[in-house]
């Protein structure tokens, strides 16, 4: 789809990519503005990656520093893996937003400011002694463009009969209009979208549209810009696309499992930031074979899921750190009972309540080792917002095939970040076919722990005559499933459970090396840092450095070929948003391998520039 | 998943519900007589054995599922109701029983218990109340008497005990009953009523632990005095008790309290005696009777306190699902489903 | 540890209880008026500021301690009562408040809540009930109305809500009360009563969440109708309400139910109206009034349901400790203590 | 103390050590018999180590295999580190006991059987087709001595007026009498002890005493023994001794803290096997400054302890695997709030409910890494029953000094096993002196996170005027303790908390090497396997092998000198009762170090013989 646009007096410059950050007060609708610009860019055929960054869950006072809400989008003509480190364009709707974000703007970057909001009151709330816009150094550092969006919005809506408050809430569309114009987006599409969004309130639809058009034509008519930009469409794989956030994608994945398997997907859980959207989406899809249950707490949430799994459902729970902590005992039961269930952990800043709205990767070792007794389970991690769809399906496939709980790790950045998602055809999805036992498996008796050659036990569900049996948390006889306190049996069962999880390796693809098979530095990442690390590797190779990248989707079991690859590189660098957990894990798993650990724990995705620098240091 | 449709409902006998594993309770444990009654009660309903699931937590009482020839889960201390809720919401055609102890249900499991009462999902919850932690060898439980000396309260328990039926009623339970391990037939009747009830049914069974809390219910079980200490509540019948059935419970409207009176004395006739009504929507009287048990000088009520039919949590959940299905235009294909919202196509 | 002995009890004003951090609640949130009343109520008691501890869980309401100029713990979702119990049992001379929300106290925290009610440790528990999960942006809570549409129940909630006062009474609470965020003076009075009560005091505060559940209590707050929808319970006074105070609650002894009557109509006099008594040991009437709130056609009672003095959990615990100390012969030396039982000596 | 004994017709042979196992039905009082023999041996000046092994918590049917209860004691003239691998003497009170234990008896060992219990009924319950005592192979393999203890007990009590049941319950004293005689223990002491034990029931005291004496003189008079034995007194350090189990010792340790510090020790917890005796003991000691609270669950248990810690108490909770799982979220809070509290984890067989009465060491990685977010805490482990006393005190000292939660690991074997404990003098105990803040620490304000040079924050407790402050689970400003969502502050706090725990190294003594500083094999152990591994090392050196042993009391931080030591030995062997957790941890912590892992997971302590063999293999 070409970027049709209105004829313009200005020349249009082609750019490869741009990173724009919209910042304003929580009340200013920056999330909407960012999402709309993203949508338009995607529809224009660009690749996009976004990073919304909103304040703590509770609304802070209007105009305060704590109340600033931001949305960053990276739009490109080539594959876009990250929302971008530092914005090329900063759109600041008030002083607090300017103060908290200016430092990130690229030197010489475009600084678009809503001057109308720079009132003494707002300046004070932001802790500005004087109006920073009047500070000449600002103009020297950046391409400052001040626009009184408040005033122009008022003007546009004069006589509309809307209240001052309603009018004020329209100004984000002015900013959007201006940006859409600047990046040569067709105006008409936005009109459609506005009508859809405000279908119930036509008067607001009209108002917002008016303001959007005002912003759009302001760019054209006012003399403030001397060129516009266009970003050529990306060569994405052919297909139908939509944008998804990680949480939305995970929910779609589980629902897809229900649709393709024809089996009930049962979700039992308890709301917790940043995982809640998963259940919120799933609850809408009752007609698609999904049953959701909001329990009284996380323990009951996973308990209900394990119960449903015993009853034959494809069971899921989703949570974040504090909730995962509460599910630990239950996970142990699922391990010993060998029942299939998927636990999604959307990691957030910890420890304890920590930083609920910030991202982190610090639950890895807990996911791997955080259960009492020997309780191994498969652990995998999604690598991008859209990949949460595939991660959800794969986790469920493994759980059912191997009769085991499976942990799927995502994080706050993936959960709220978005990117284009190519809608797959049913045939592209792996088959999930639970084989419920229907008959006794040993001389007319049903032996719940009589395993197949892969060490998987059968799944007999209530309602099946003759297969009545009991499962539970006490050690079980390796065949009959009766309670057993025999030491030898316990040892056999512990080792068998461990071996079964090791056997999952048959479903773990070898990792692919991005870059030369051999080189100076190997970057190893897992989970949500994929984009930053992949981009860093590409940049470094573009600089001519022999740098390769391996990204781990599977944390347990680790891919067969990983050890050999690690040993092939003189230097291995493991960048993480934690205190070095994967680096420690790799050391423990591959004697002799001693990676350099690079860690950042500031609640934000890793910066590409930082990684590039780090590699320069160790090269 | 409904492999259950075609299942026949054979005429069962008690034996059909014995798993063949001999119970591992101590000699003389009250749990034996309880499982006995459960196994006698189940056949009547004619529910196919494979459609019944017993779920328990951890405790002596919670070993129960191993001895039943049904599907069963012996789960985690205190959490049985959560598993049971998942089973019943996922497969409403199954009959789901929860077997638990006073510590399992009311100490660590108290939250799941009150939420089960609130949601009214069709679970039958049997709580064996021996007023002690049996499995861990004798610590104080939330139903242990105030001041009771146990291994963790050598100077006497500082805690006031729960009154389980009162707690269940406060949480909104639609069915609340009580019986005694040694009163076989009575227990059987209560179990039957619980099984027939649709919605969460809570049955407190007074159970003797001869090893760690022997004689806790002597005052009720003692042949000589039990006629005076037990008040057997029966729906539609006046609340009479005592050897000659002349003692009764009268409701005093002035003081708004219950009192013990004797028919024939001081002009009291049977008409003055409160008539028991398990179907009162307002739980007040049931609550009053539940608390009466705790008051000295009064008999201890056994039988059904409350039995009210409300839509069950599983019925409501599945009605919503069926409505959603009915409202949905033809089953959407996967691609249609995934394509909701705004999409664009790359050639 | 008792650094508190020597502390004076200065004459405080509201300001003395403001931490100086400005609250981060949304504009118009009911929590503002509640903290306001708490800060007005505390000075009266003259308890040294440093001897007061506010403990909360997680939720909008649970940010409360940050805004109080006292000691405080902002803990873990649902667990505040457990921390508070530890503080009070360890340091009974401290005054301990728990601030919690409907989800914090009754969803994940339900068990700690009912056990606090049962133990009667001297805690003042304020539950801000906005019938929604505020902090996580609008999911169903255990007090959300049946059928309510929320982010996790787009087709309506399948769960029956808890009736918090009824639940607390079922758990044995000695003090149970209710008020409304917007009824400043009334709320102040209830808070004062809670502070004066010795033992666990549970106060449910109806709180409006303008962002995720606006108008939940419109029916009570609405100036025009509130005289008819609120029943203000006052100890020793007849339960009258309505614009002209002529409507009243009568107890119907025949049906054993409460009914709304009008003084002056059909021969009803004020003498027929139930007189409120918070000190009744038997919780039945309080329970009846609590449930009345849920019944259509009846006003919603606010004020104190029950206020009964029983030995508190902390008093009992420390009596046992003091007795043990009194019974002990002279303080045993470490060696004597360690040498209890059988010993032998190696030269 | 000499082993005074009655003159005897038989010669007395001196033996260095003997391992005796008493086995019988749960009802047969084997625990008492074993404990009494242990007491007598200790009083006789021998060193002892015991291992009770009782069945699942619920009583099994009398005479059944599941109902067998055992008690093993190792008595020696030299230092005894373990209860012994395989008994020299097996006392079997019924067929089920014989069946389940015979395999363990040393070839040629003394097999003392209560023939009176070998009835057809009991034989059947034990699954014996024929009476094994009549099987000649038994006599060829072992020194079988059959005594009709039932009959002889009945005879002894004929006319005592006791019921048959009461009489039957006395027969364990017959066995005890016989063994006390055989090992030349004075009879009079036992008389005293019996009177004490049955003070309330004089008729039973009399009966048991009678039966004991019957057993004692039976040895002398009957012709079944041809010699008696005596074990010379051990050279224990001078002092007053008592025997303690690990749980009792831990309780004594915490009470000792209360007595020496003069501060309140607050225990909040929930009963769970095998930790419950700790709180059961503590609850008795109200007059010693200990407050105990049995909470509604483990979460509330540790919650109350953290609350008490905030209020200034020395707080403790104790649990086992499933309970530890439930405390995970709370531990995270204690980490971020930096409040002192000791968590005791008495490890048992896992996963899930697992094997509650069996021992295991499989919670190590959970203790180290089982929390969401970066939540490091000190972890140490007791090495013997008596050492649980010192472990408890050290854990509390560290918690208070560093303002941090501390995990103390013990296990089911230590908890129930017993050994002599030298009663220390108050002066031998480390001082624990909480320094509660009393005044503002920064320009008239109190900054809860203003740290000292060791990075420890101050402890201001309620009741202190002017220091009012709030703690909580959200990330806090590094100084004021106000909630902070600032990324840089979060990173600073995560790294500071980690560094603080690394600083604890100043309290971690270097590990001592048992054996040569350099050699062929280094054995590395932790926790309850100390005794077996130490004994194995001694045996191997006795064989002339260059084998050394390092035992880790500290798991986090690890001792400064450990890495260097590990690298000094060509082979490092790490034996554990788990699936290799310490071995993995050492690999992760010491790049290049690749220990051989030896694991046993059968619910029992490690066997010395097995370790010796293993070392032979790898040498
Ligand atoms: C998480 C957890 N905490 C504690 C325990 C230990 N435990 C097992 S059963 C039990 C209480 C049993 O009492 P009750 O529920 O009354 O059952 P009873 O044995 O009396 O029938 C306890 C504390 C456990 N197994 N798991
Ligand atoms: C263990 C855990 N589970 C879930 C959450 C997420 N969470 C925080 S507050 C909350 C509920 C808040 O509702 P309520 O208690 O009613 O307080 P309100 O915000 O309405 O005042 C939830 C689910 C959490 N922080 N911790
Ligand atoms: S301990 Fe008590 S409750 Fe448990 S089995 Fe034995 S008698 Fe029954
Ligand atoms: S979300 Fe609701 S409850 Fe929370 S602060 Fe805002 S208005 Fe108050
Ligand atoms: Mg019990
Ligand atoms: Mg709420």
């Amino acid at each position: 789809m070409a970027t049709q646009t209105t004829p313009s007096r200005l020349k249009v410059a082609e750019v490869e990519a741009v990173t724009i950050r919209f910042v304003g007060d929580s009340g200013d609708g920056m999330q909407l503005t960012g999402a709309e610009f993203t949508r338009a860019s995607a529809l224009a055929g660009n690749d996009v990656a976004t990073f919304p960054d909103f304040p703590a869950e509770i609304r802070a006072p209007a105009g305060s520093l704590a109340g600033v809400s931001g949305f960053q989008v990276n739009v490109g003509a080539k594959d876009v893996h990250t929302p971008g480190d530092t914005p090329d364009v900063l759109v600041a709707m008030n002083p607090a937003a300017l103060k908290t974000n200016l430092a990130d703007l690229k030197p010489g970057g475009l600084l678009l400011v809503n001057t109308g909001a720079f009132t003494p009151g707002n300046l004070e709330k932001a802790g500005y002694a004087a109006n920073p816009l009047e500070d000449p150094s600002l103009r020297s550092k950046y391409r400052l463009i001040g626009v009184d969006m408040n005033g122009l919005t008022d003007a546009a809506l004069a006589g509309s009969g809307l209240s001052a408050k309603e009018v004020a809430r329209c100004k984000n569309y002015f900013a959007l209009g201006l940006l859409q114009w600047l990046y040569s987006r067709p105006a008409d599409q936005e009109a459609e979208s506005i009508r859809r969004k405000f279908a119930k309130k036509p008067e607001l639809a009209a108002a917002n549209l008016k303001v959007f058009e005002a912003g759009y034509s302001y760019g054209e008519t006012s003399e403030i810009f001397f060129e516009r930009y266009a970003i050529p469409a990306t060569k994405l794989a052919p297909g139908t696309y939509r944008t998804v956030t990680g949480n939305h994608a995970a929910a779609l994945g589980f629902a897809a499992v229900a649709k393709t398997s024809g089996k009930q997907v049962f979700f039992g859980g308890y709301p917790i930031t940043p995982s809640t959207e998963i259940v919120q989406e799933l609850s809408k899809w009752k007609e698609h074979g999904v049953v959701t249950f909001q329990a009284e707490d996380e323990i009951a949430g996973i308990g209900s899921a394990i119960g449903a799994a015993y009853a034959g459902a494809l069971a899921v729970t989703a949570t974040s750190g504090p909730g995962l902590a509460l599910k630990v005992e239950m996970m142990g039961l699922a391990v010993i009972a060998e029942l299939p269930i998927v636990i999604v952990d959307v990691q957030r800043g910890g420890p304890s309540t920590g930083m609920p709205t910030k991202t982190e990767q610090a639950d890895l070792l807990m996911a791997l080792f955080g259960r009492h007794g020997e309780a191994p389970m498969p652990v995998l991690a999604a690598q991008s917002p859209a990949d949460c769809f595939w991660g959800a399906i794969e986790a469920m496939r493994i759980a059912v095939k191997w009769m085991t709980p499976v942990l799927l790790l995502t994080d706050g950045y993936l959960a709220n970040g978005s990117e284009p998602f190519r809608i797959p055809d049913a045939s592209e999805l792996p088959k999930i076919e639970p084989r419920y036992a229907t008959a006794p498996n040993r001389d007319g008796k049903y032996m719940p722990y009589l395993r197949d050659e892969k060490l998987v036990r059968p799944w007999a569900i209530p309602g099946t005559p003759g297969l009545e049996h009991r499962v539970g948390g006490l050690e079980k006889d390796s065949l009959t499933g009766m309670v057993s306190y025999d030491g030898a049996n316990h040892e056999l069962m512990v080792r068998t459970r461990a071996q079964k999880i090791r056997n999952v390796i048959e479903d773990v693809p070898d990792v692919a090396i991005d870059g030369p098979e051999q080189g100076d530095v190997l970057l190893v990442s897992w989970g949500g840092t994929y984009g930053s690390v992949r981009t860093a590797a590409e940049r470094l190779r573009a600089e001519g450095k022999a740098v390769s990248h391996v990204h781990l989707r599977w944390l347990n079991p680790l891919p067969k070929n990983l050890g050999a690859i690690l040993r092939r590189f003189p230097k291995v660098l493991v960048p993480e948003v934690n205190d070095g957990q994967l680096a420690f894990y790799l050391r423990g798993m591959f004697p002799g391998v001693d990676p350099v650990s690079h860690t950042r724990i500031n609640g934000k995705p890793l910066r590409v520039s930082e990684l590039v620098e780090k590699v320069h240091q160790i090269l | 998943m409904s492999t259950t449709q075609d299942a026949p409902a054979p005429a069962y006998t008690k034996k059909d519900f014995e798993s063949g594993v001999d119970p591992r309770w101590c000699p003389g444990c009250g749990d034996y007589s309880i499982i006995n009654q459960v196994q006698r009660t189940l056949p009547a309903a004619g529910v196919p054995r494979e459609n019944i699931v017993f779920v328990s937590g951890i405790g002596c009482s919670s070993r129960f599922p191993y001895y039943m020839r049904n599907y069963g889960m012996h789960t985690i201390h205190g959490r049985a109701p959560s598993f049971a809720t998942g089973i019943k919401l996922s497969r409403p055609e199954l009959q789901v029983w929860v077997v638990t102890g006073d510590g399992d249900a009311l100490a660590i499991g108290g939250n799941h218990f009150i939420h089960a009462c609130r949601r009214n999902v069709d679970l039958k919850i049997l709580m064996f109340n021996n007023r002690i932690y049996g499995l861990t060898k004798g610590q104080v439980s939330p139903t242990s008497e105030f001041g009771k000396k146990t291994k963790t309260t050598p100077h006497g328990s500082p805690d006031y005990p729960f009154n389980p039926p009162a707690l269940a009623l406060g949480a909104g339970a639609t069915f609340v009953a009580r019986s005694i391990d040694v009163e076989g037939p009575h227990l059987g009747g209560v179990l039957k009523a619980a099984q027939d009830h649709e919605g969460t049914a809570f049955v407190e069974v007074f159970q003797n632990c001869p090893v760690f809390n022997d004689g806790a219910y002597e005052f009720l079980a003692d042949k000589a005095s039990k006629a005076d200490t037990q008040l057997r509540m029966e729906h539609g019948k006046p609340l009479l008790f005592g050897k000659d059935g002349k003692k009764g419970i009268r409701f005093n409207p002035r003081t708004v309290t219950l009192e013990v009176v004797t028919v024939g004395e001081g002009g009291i006739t049977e008409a003055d005696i409160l008539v028991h009504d398990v179907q009162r929507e307002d739980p007040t009287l049931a609550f009053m009777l539940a608390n009466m048990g705790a008051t000295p000088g009064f008999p201890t009520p056994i039988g059904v306190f409350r039995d009210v039919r409300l839509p069950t949590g599983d019925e409501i959940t599945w009605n919503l699902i069926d409505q959603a299905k009915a409202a949905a235009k033809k089953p959407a294909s996967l691609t249609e489903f995934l394509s909701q919202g705004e999409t664009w196509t790359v050639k």
Side-chain angles (χ1 to χ4, degrees), chain A residues 54-62 64 66 270-273 276 279-281 283-287 292-299 326 352-353 357:
Chain A
F54 25 77
E57 297 105 313
I58 304 185
R59 313 284 174 85
S64 70
Y270 189 75
I272 181 167
T273 305
T276 313
V279 57
Q280 287 177 358
E281 290 303 322
S283 329
K284 296 177 190 160
W285 299 331
K286 296 188 166 48
E287 67 272 30
T292 58
F293 168 59
Q294 182 176 318
E296 56 272 27
D297 65 13
E298 282 87 352
I299 300 175
L326 288 169
S352 196
T353 310
T357 58

Side-chain angles (χ1 to χ4, degrees), chain B residues 13-253:
Chain B
T13 68
K14 173 172 184 298
K15 273 235 145 310
D16 296 307
F17 289 92
E18 298 170 0
S19 74
V21 179
D22 347 323
R24 286 279 179 81
W25 292 306
C26 307
C29 176
D31 295 0
Y32 286 103
S33 45
I34 303 175
I35 197 167
N36 201 313
Q37 284 307 321
V38 171
Q39 286 165 336
R40 285 175 196 286
T41 309
L42 286 180
V47 179
R49 190 166 58 192
E50 64 273 15
N51 290 359
I52 300 178
V53 186
F54 279 87
V55 183
S56 66
I58 301 287
C60 296
S61 33
S62 291
R63 295 297 174 98
F64 200 95
Y66 291 118
Y67 313 135
M68 299 297 299
R69 193 163 162 187
N70 301 93
Y71 283 90
M73 297 184 87
H74 176 229
T75 65
I76 286 183
H77 192 33
R79 316 298 175 185
S82 64
F83 297 88
T85 301
I87 295 169
K88 186 68 183 178
L89 289 182
S90 176
R91 301 272 310 274
E93 74 275 20
L94 300 173
Q95 183 177 92
V96 184
W97 295 73
V98 171
V99 179
T100 178
D102 44 315
D104 194 57
L106 301 181
I108 194 168
N111 202 29
H112 311 303
F113 173 72
I114 58 176
H115 279 270
C117 293
R118 166 172 91 90
R119 293 195 189 100
N120 199 38
V121 170
D122 187 2
L123 309 175
K124 292 91 179 56
I125 303 178
L126 310 183
M127 187 186 82
F128 301 1
N129 184 1
N130 54 11
R131 302 206 159 135
I132 196 79
Y133 288 1
L135 188 63
T136 46
K137 306 199 162 94
Q139 300 79 21
V140 68
S141 111
T143 57
S144 298
E145 302 81 351
F146 179 80
K148 176 165 194 98
K149 287 188 163 51
T150 73
K151 280 188 184 156
T152 42
T153 57
H155 306 85
S157 168
D159 295 344
Y160 301 100
F162 275 132
N163 176 333
L167 180 64
L169 290 165
T174 54
F175 181 100
V176 178
R178 177 191 282 150
S179 190
I180 311 176
D181 53 2
V182 292
E183 298 286 357
H186 183 272
L187 176 56
V190 166
L191 291 170
K192 175 87 176 52
Q195 189 178 23
D196 295 345
H197 175 75
E198 294 166 290
T200 301
F202 171 58
V203 179
E204 175 187 33
V205 185
F206 287 160
Q207 172 241 332
N208 190 43
C209 168
V211 175
F212 295 111
N213 196 19
D214 197 21
Y217 301 106
E218 202 46 41
F219 72 102
L220 280 184
D222 173 56
K223 296 264 170 306
S225 59
K226 70 186 214 183
D228 293 320
T229 54
Q230 293 182 0
L231 170 68
R232 296 186 167 223
M233 305 179 290
E234 290 179 56
H235 179 59
K237 301 239 179 80
L239 293 166
L240 290 164
F241 67 107
K243 288 215 182 29
D244 48 14
K246 289 258 162 294
K247 289 202 236 172
I249 302 300
R250 178 172 70 171
F251 178 79
N252 180 329

Side-chain angles (χ1 to χ4, degrees), chain A residues 435-454:
Chain A
R435 297 169 276 93
Y436 304 121
T438 54
N441 53 359
R442 162 74 64 99
D443 353 313
K445 287 211 175 51
Y446 176 64
M447 301 284 160
Y449 287 88
L450 177 56
R451 301 167 187 277
D452 65 17
E453 68 293 346
K454 295 183 165 156

